[in-house]
Amino acid sequence: MMALQDGDVIQYTINVRKLDEDAGDNDIITLVREYEDIQFLDHQLVAHNRQAGIIFPSLPAKPASDPAGAESRSKKQLGSSNRSILGDSSQWGRDCKVLEKYLEMVAAHPVLGRSSHLASFLES
């Protein structure tokens, strides 16, 4: 996962590999989502999966939109692909990692991973 900040908006670039055992293709789909899109996915998953015993992964807190000591340019590329600029210990890198982990846990969940809301989020 990678993030790009433009003003107050943080856009996350998510690469999704759809595994289709029958077709044998593993095409990668690249999506751009904002935190609010991920927040809406979380809401949809909770609202439409009201079954006893389901443990939902916790949605990470919304990242701050203005990092301390940020460069003066209006667009910043954040996340794992620019570690040389921000460093592995940067808050931006950690924010991307926790959101990436959240999406991995949702996709691997035995109930939520089959949700049509997740499929819609990841495919379109």
Side-chain angles (χ1 to χ4, degrees), residues 51-118:
Q51 301 171 22
I54 292 182
I55 298 173
F56 294 91
S58 296
L59 178 67
K62 182 176 182 177
S65 61
D66 187 20
E71 300 103 38
S72 60
R73 58 188 176 179
S74 64
K75 288 190 176 185
K76 296 177 207 67
Q77 188 172 351
L78 316 166
S80 56
S81 68
N82 69 334
R83 289 181 178 154
S84 62
I85 297 171
L86 296 174
D88 284 338
S89 64
S90 76
Q91 185 61 42
W92 289 108
R94 288 189 298 268
D95 289 342
C96 280
K97 286 292 182 194
V98 296
L99 281 171
E100 184 175 5
K101 183 65 178 174
Y102 167 78
L103 290 173
E104 288 173 358
M105 290 181 352
V106 168
H109 193 282
V111 174
L112 304 178
R114 295 185 217 147
S115 168
S116 62
H117 299 286
L118 177 63

Side-chain angles (χ1 to χ4, degrees), residues 1-2 13 33 36 62 69-70 80 83 89 124:
M1 179 180 286
M2 191 174 66
T13 302
R33 298 284 189 253
E36 288 74 15
K62 182 176 182 177
S80 56
R83 289 181 178 154
S89 64
S124 58

